Amino acid sequence: MTRGLLYKAIFIICIVCFAVMLILPTIGENTLQIVLSQTSTEQDLQAVKQRFPESKYKVVVNDKEVLVEGYNLNVAVMNEIKRYPGVVDAKLLPHWAEKALLAKKINLGLDLQGGSYLVLQANYHKIEEKTGKPLTNAEKNEITEQALELLRNRVDKFGVAEPSIRPKGNDAIEIQLPGVKDPESVKKAIGTTGRVEYRLVDDAYTQKANQWLKEHYAGKGLPEDQLELNKLTDTIKNAIALPDSLELLYYYERNPQTAKLFPAYPIVLEKKVALAGNDISKAWVAPDEYQQLAVHFNTTPEGAAKFAEVTSEKNHGRKLAIVIDDKVRSAPSIRVQINTGQAIIQGDFTYEEVTALARIIKEGALPVDLKIIEERTVGPTLGIDSIQSGVKAFIVGIAGVMLFMLIYYKGAGIIADIGLLLNGIFMLALLSWLGFTLTLPGIAGFILTMGMAVDANVIIYERIKEELRTGKTPRAAVAQGFERAFWTIFDSNITTLLSAFVLSQFGTGPIKGFAVTLSIGIISSMFVALYITKFIFETITSRGSLKKLSI
Amino acid sequence: MEKIIPFIKYRFIAYAITITLIVIFSLQTYRNGGFNWGIDFVGGIKLTVKFEQGVDTAQIRKVLTQNKISAVIQQVGKEEDNEYLISTKLASRTENVEESTKELKTVIQSNFKNVEILSIETVGPAIGDFLKKSAGKLIALSIIIMTLYLAFRFELKYSIGAMVALLHDVILSILFCGFAGIEINIPIVAAILTIYGYSVNDTIIIFDRVRENLQIKTKQTFIDVIDKSITQTISRTLLTALTTLFAVFALYMIGGEGLNEFASVLLFGIVIGTYSSLYIASPFVLYWEKLAVRKA
């Protein structure tokens, strides 16, 4: 072996080792740590254990912590288990290769790990109608950015780990929630505009309503069921003879234990909206002039005029209710007229309350109506089935190709097969290293590339055979074969790469996944065919004594 | 002297085959009631459900028709799994997808005991339009990009030949979907794009050889050079197609519902792509050459 070949050998061995280490966390077992709450029952624990049958997973229980070890543990499983009663937290422990190396697990697409995928479209027409002029793209982008920020906050509250929320084009937002099987609750929270309105309170009728309730409903809390609550509303409305210009809603409070909102007492408001959510541009928490925490907010120029009107002298002493999705969440009193478009809500608030209020005000101002235009949900079992059939197809496919190469090309076939295996390793390594998401079409792309990977070998081998037929020595034929085949391989692969590039421009996730695996496969197969298999051939033929090539 | 197969001479047989295929596929597509656009393109709902007890397609259909829902019902997976795919397309563009989804779910859940909904997909009409438009644009765009690349690496006449072959592959693949009643969804578009990426590979191998053989100055005609080049490269054209077919066939047999139709389009496409590289691409280079000579 010459010195040049030796260096090449060392280089190749290094790359292969690195690639193998990169894919360890993907193909190896993972550990999921589940923390149960102090009040969890034996039943809760059993439910968790049932989710992980001992035949497939290793489950260790110590005190209030459960460790599950096995395959197919991913973010979706983690999110799913978080929703179990009694579970406070769940997290995937990093694989040793992740800690020690740059290795990363391959992200699985929602179609493989299960979860929900939503696309929300922004309705700019409404805004355009209101302002009477078309929005520029920059304005649209800004609105989308605001909406994104808001949605992130809302989704975060659901405790979904690794949600992906990103703009799609300039009028849609794509949300991926791994492990969320039933997106209804999330949809409700993110899909509604979160209508915020500021409306004046009618004290007289509020008192009447509460009085009636005290007499006829004493001792009982208000029903939390929306239908029953609606029935009650109708009864009260009739009893106190509520005029048409007024509306009876409920003041909602948060249960400190469950953090759930519940109706606390009825409150009567004017139907007329004094100030709408989109009249407010900004809200934040800061101390007021008495060093007490208060919510400060800015209105838009149009909002400022409305606000001045509603806080004018005639309304002083009245309450202004902040209504979010027909729930009254705060009702501060009006004390002074505010003309500047800047206002504060003062009151005896705790820090938590005041930040919550600021958030509510901010959240309410979802700048644009969002409509769900696409929704896809995949259950976890369906995903695992897909992976398993994908892996099976992969093994059968690659075995068929390898066998064929071996029979057809004999000795050279072995080299091509080694190349094919290395190619598989490199592809997986690149996929996990670059942090791509593997989808079902991605697996198809992977298998397809495996079939196409030997193309380069076939082109080279056929060329070598031709050269041998002209009576060249093996060494010369190999050198000529590789040299002449190079541009052919390059051109034909570049065109496939071009179509993969075009595919990757297609908006939808799975197709991108397919295109990416295809591109990575082409690049890695070119490297393997033109560098590694060439190296093996050079090493074999470098001993000048070789008389015949097994090809 | 090696044996040369006169490909160019037999090209009319190939044209006849192509035209026959187009006619048969078109007629069958027409009889199938046009192309079967998937919900990705027209909007609609796709529900995968698992029933606890054995249910058959007729039972589900009966329940759905009673509730005035027209849907395609398909059993998926193993018989004993009781898993079904129920898909409905939007009846009109104004239909509210969210409402319809709720309705469908309620109908299924209230009529059958212990139904587990494994997956739901809903696509609104707007996104369908968008996808349809961009799918068409992408196919056109990638044909143009490839033609430009070939014109840059080879000569214009070669890229014309490759483009004709590409169009041939695209048209036949799409018609094949219509013929076989395969639902055209986004993965199928990806399959078609891959097919012609692949078809160009084969074509390039041949053109590369044509170019090489033209440099060897002999008294051969252009037709002879093409025939010689195709003959010399035919073993690798067929072998590369064969190894890819192994992989795609495995995908077709084992890939499961999600990949089955995708793989079948790929299978067809690889065969047709190989055939067009042999019989369609080169004759058109020849025609272009003749046209150029006549003009000059």
Side-chain angles (χ1 to χ4, degrees):
Chain A
M1 203 185 265
T2 65
R3 179 165 288 194
L5 285 177
L6 190 69
Y7 286 152
K8 272 190 182 176
I10 294 169
F11 175 62
I12 290 169
I13 290 169
C14 285
I15 291 189
V16 173
C17 289
F18 183 56
V20 169
M21 287 191 286
L22 280 183
I23 55 179
L24 273 181
T26 300
I27 54 170
E29 292 197 353
N30 287 296
T31 312
L32 181 68
Q33 182 191 33
I34 303 161
V35 183
L36 297 169
S37 76
Q38 288 306 320
T39 54
S40 66
T41 60
E42 183 60 24
Q43 231 175 344
D44 294 340
L45 179 66
Q46 283 312 319
V48 170
K49 279 171 96 176
Q50 217 162 40
R51 171 66 181 75
F52 301 103
E54 298 267 358
S55 54
K56 282 187 191 157
Y57 301 91
K58 203 177 121 201
V59 183
V60 182
V61 184
N62 37 15
D63 195 28
K64 289 290 175 192
E65 193 190 83
V66 183
L67 282 177
V68 183
E69 213 174 292
Y71 297 99
N72 291 326
L73 291 174
N74 51 38
V75 178
V77 175
M78 181 173 90
N79 281 335
E80 188 200 324
I81 209 81
K82 268 189 191 171
R83 279 152 191 268
Y84 277 52
V87 174
V88 246
D89 199 17
K91 75 174 175 252
L92 279 168
L93 299 182
H95 190 271
W96 69 263
E98 280 178 274
K99 282 184 275 182
L101 307 154
L102 288 164
K104 264 186 254 166
K105 238 178 304 191
I106 293 183
N107 295 321
L108 296 178
L110 288 186
D111 52 346
L112 294 182
Q113 59 173 332
S116 295
Y117 169 91
L118 301 167
V119 179
L120 311 172
Q121 193 180 37
N123 185 355
Y124 293 121
H125 290 302
K126 253 193 188 163
I127 301 178
E128 283 171 348
E129 263 168 36
K130 215 186 260 172
T131 56
K133 56 176 181 246
L135 290 165
T136 63
N137 274 345
E139 280 171 323
K140 282 184 184 172
N141 279 341
E142 204 194 306
I143 293 173
T144 319
E145 275 308 315
Q146 275 179 39
L148 272 179
E149 195 46 46
L150 236 136
L151 291 177
R152 283 198 189 106
N153 286 334
R154 289 185 184 181
V155 171
D156 275 348
K157 278 193 290 193
F158 282 86
V160 176
E162 296 189 28
S164 143
I165 302 168
R166 54 178 178 220
K168 189 175 180 177
N170 63 5
D171 69 344
I173 292 168
E174 181 193 285
I175 303 179
Q176 292 189 33
L177 306 164
V180 176
K181 271 186 287 187
D182 185 25
E184 289 308 317
S185 55
V186 180
K187 249 163 68 185
K188 219 179 260 164
I190 58 179
T192 52
T193 347
R195 212 172 66 239
V196 169
E197 291 162 356
Y198 297 77
R199 287 154 68 177
L200 285 165
V201 177
D202 189 298
D203 282 325
Y205 275 98
T206 303
Q207 239 169 20
K208 275 188 195 169
N210 280 297
Q211 191 62 35
W212 183 90
L213 210 63
K214 222 172 170 181
E215 283 160 19
H216 297 86
Y217 216 73
K220 281 185 275 181
L222 292 170
E224 286 195 37
D225 183 75
Q226 195 59 45
L227 277 176
E228 272 181 53
L229 197 64
N230 288 349
K231 261 188 233 159
L232 182 66
T233 310
D234 287 339
T235 324
I236 304 176
K237 257 161 73 177
N238 287 332
I240 62 171
L242 197 72
D244 260 355
S245 63
L246 299 177
E247 191 179 3
L248 189 138
L249 293 176
Y250 295 90
Y251 193 96
Y252 276 75
E253 278 171 5
R254 197 177 288 283
N255 183 327
Q257 260 108 51
T258 60
K260 258 191 190 160
L261 285 176
F262 67 95
Y265 58 85
I267 185 164
V268 177
L269 313 174
E270 284 184 6
K271 269 194 183 157
K272 200 181 136 231
V273 175
L275 201 66
N278 50 13
D279 288 325
I280 291 189
S281 61
K282 221 169 135 189
W284 69 99
V285 176
D288 62 10
E289 69 262 42
Y290 312 110
Q291 294 308 310
Q292 285 219 312
L293 285 173
V295 179
H296 297 236
F297 63 90
N298 279 355
T299 59
T300 60
E302 302 92 66
K306 287 193 210 168
F307 203 52
E309 155 87 34
V310 86
T311 56
S312 67
E313 200 113 8
K314 66 175 199 284
N315 285 332
H316 284 179
R318 289 185 74 178
K319 281 182 184 136
L320 187 65
I322 303 174
V323 190
I324 295 149
D325 292 332
D326 289 334
K327 296 182 174 82
V328 179
R329 296 296 309 282
S330 173
S333 298
I334 301 164
R335 291 182 203 146
V336 284
Q337 182 170 20
I338 294 154
N339 298 313
T340 53
Q342 259 197 20
I344 50 177
I345 301 172
Q346 290 161 310
D348 190 15
F349 295 125
T350 64
Y351 180 74
E352 279 74 31
E353 281 168 334
V354 85
T355 43
L357 193 58
R359 202 179 57 221
I360 289 163
I361 294 172
K362 253 192 306 196
E363 266 182 24
L366 189 51
V368 62
D369 266 347
L370 294 173
K371 203 177 124 202
I372 296 173
I373 50 168
E374 197 181 344
E375 183 194 336
R376 293 167 202 259
T377 302
V378 181
T381 45
L382 214 60
I384 289 172
D385 282 354
S386 303
I387 296 182
Q388 277 164 355
S389 51
V391 169
K392 235 189 268 167
F394 170 70
I395 293 171
V396 173
I398 200 175
V401 174
M402 284 175 76
L403 201 68
F404 174 80
M405 291 301 279
L406 203 63
I407 292 169
Y408 197 86
Y409 289 115
K410 300 174 192 83
I414 297 175
I415 300 174
D417 287 349
I418 293 171
L420 193 60
L421 288 177
L422 288 180
N423 192 27
I425 294 172
F426 288 158
M427 271 185 78
L428 270 177
L430 276 172
L431 279 173
S432 58
W433 200 31
L434 299 175
F436 283 116
T437 303
L438 192 65
T439 56
L440 189 58
I443 292 183
F446 199 90
I447 297 169
L448 185 66
T449 345
M450 279 303 179
M452 289 162 71
V454 289
D455 279 15
N457 288 104
V458 171
I459 294 172
I460 295 164
Y461 290 179
E462 290 301 304
R463 193 79 213 207
I464 292 177
K465 271 186 174 175
E466 267 181 66
E467 299 297 331
L468 283 173
R469 253 179 256 141
T470 61
K472 289 202 176 85
T473 63
R475 193 174 181 174
V478 165
Q480 278 277 314
F482 272 97
E483 195 186 315
R484 293 198 150 172
F486 179 83
W487 282 107
T488 314
I489 293 171
F490 187 82
D491 281 335
S492 66
N493 280 312
I494 287 290
T495 49
T496 314
L497 213 52
L498 283 176
S499 72
F501 170 75
V502 173
L503 268 178
S504 73
Q505 297 305 300
F506 206 82
T508 324
I511 298 308
K512 265 191 191 149
F514 176 75
V516 166
T517 37
L518 203 61
S519 320
I520 285 183
I522 290 161
I523 293 165
S524 105
S525 73
M526 267 168 85
F527 172 72
V528 170
L530 297 175
Y531 192 85
I532 296 186
T533 53
K534 189 179 172 190
F535 161 78
I536 300 176
F537 270 105
E538 278 175 351
T539 313
I540 292 171
T541 54
S542 68
R543 295 171 292 137
S545 55
L546 193 76
K547 288 279 174 312
K548 208 173 158 283
L549 213 55
S550 166
I551 193 163
Chain B
M1 188 65 212
E2 57 198 315
K3 214 177 114 200
I4 288 169
I5 312 164
F7 284 93
I8 295 290
K9 207 170 117 191
Y10 295 128
R11 65 184 185 273
F12 294 108
I13 299 174
Y15 297 165
I17 294 174
T18 296
I19 290 166
T20 321
L21 278 181
I22 289 179
V23 170
I24 294 174
F25 284 2
S26 306
L27 281 178
Q28 185 61 32
T29 306
Y30 179 74
R31 274 180 53 195
N32 288 347
F35 291 107
N36 183 8
W37 294 99
I39 65 160
D40 284 339
F41 292 114
V42 291
I45 308 155
K46 210 174 191 174
L47 213 63
T48 320
V49 285
K50 185 181 169 73
F51 297 97
E52 194 164 76
Q53 286 108 18
V55 184
D56 61 29
T57 336
Q59 265 174 289
I60 306 171
R61 183 162 295 121
K62 206 177 123 202
V63 166
L64 290 180
T65 27
Q66 272 167 5
N67 288 283
K68 298 196 181 69
I69 297 173
S70 67
V72 179
I73 300 150
Q74 222 183 320
Q75 180 159 30
V76 292
K78 281 176 248 139
E79 182 92 31
E80 64 270 22
D81 282 349
N82 283 313
E83 284 175 21
Y84 289 87
L85 190 74
I86 301 167
S87 58
T88 73
K89 286 175 193 168
L90 287 193
S92 74
R93 300 188 46 84
T94 48
E95 191 182 326
N96 185 328
V97 194
E98 254 191 276
E99 288 298 312
S100 316
T101 315
K102 255 186 217 149
E103 195 189 319
L104 182 62
K105 263 162 79 178
T106 328
V107 166
I108 299 276
Q109 278 168 334
S110 57
N111 282 286
F112 297 97
K113 260 187 252 165
N114 296 326
V115 205
E116 196 189 336
I117 294 181
L118 296 179
S119 83
I120 314 173
E121 284 181 48
T122 70
V123 179
I127 203 133
D129 285 348
F130 168 75
L131 291 178
K132 219 176 195 172
K133 223 190 279 168
S134 50
K137 244 192 246 166
L138 281 185
I139 293 188
L141 180 70
S142 58
I143 291 186
I144 293 169
I145 291 181
M146 278 190 208
T147 314
L148 286 179
Y149 179 79
L150 287 179
F152 164 70
R153 287 281 303 148
F154 293 79
E155 276 171 59
L156 186 66
K157 63 181 173 202
Y158 294 107
S159 57
I160 298 294
M163 195 167 76
V164 172
L166 279 184
L167 283 173
H168 168 267
D169 298 341
V170 172
I171 291 169
L172 272 178
S173 318
I174 293 174
L175 282 174
F176 172 74
C177 295
F179 168 77
I182 290 172
E183 199 179 89
I184 302 178
N185 49 31
I186 291 173
I188 297 295
V189 172
I192 291 173
L193 279 163
T194 316
I195 287 167
Y196 64 65
Y198 193 79
S199 160
V200 165
N201 274 1
D202 284 352
T203 312
I204 286 178
I205 295 174
I206 296 168
F207 286 175
D208 203 42
R209 188 51 75 94
V210 171
R211 192 168 57 170
E212 197 184 312
N213 282 338
L214 276 177
Q215 281 165 357
I216 309 165
K217 297 272 181 237
T218 48
K219 276 182 204 155
Q220 288 174 7
T221 61
F222 195 48
I223 294 180
D224 289 337
V225 172
I226 290 176
D227 280 341
K228 189 175 152 199
S229 306
I230 299 179
T231 311
Q232 282 175 343
T233 52
I234 187 144
S235 60
R236 50 186 111 158
T237 309
L238 294 181
L239 284 172
T240 53
L242 197 65
T243 54
T244 311
L245 281 178
F246 279 137
V248 179
F249 195 67
L251 205 59
Y252 177 73
M253 296 304 288
I254 319 169
E257 316 302 326
L259 297 173
N260 204 298
E261 295 195 330
F262 176 78
S264 68
V265 175
L266 274 180
L267 271 179
F268 175 81
I270 286 166
V271 174
I272 213 79
T274 308
Y275 151 86
S276 78
S277 304
L278 293 178
Y279 282 100
I280 307 288
S282 302
F284 276 87
V285 177
L286 195 69
Y287 291 144
W288 191 261
E289 172 101 339
K290 273 186 187 162
L291 205 70
V293 168
R294 205 172 303 157
K295 262 189 196 159

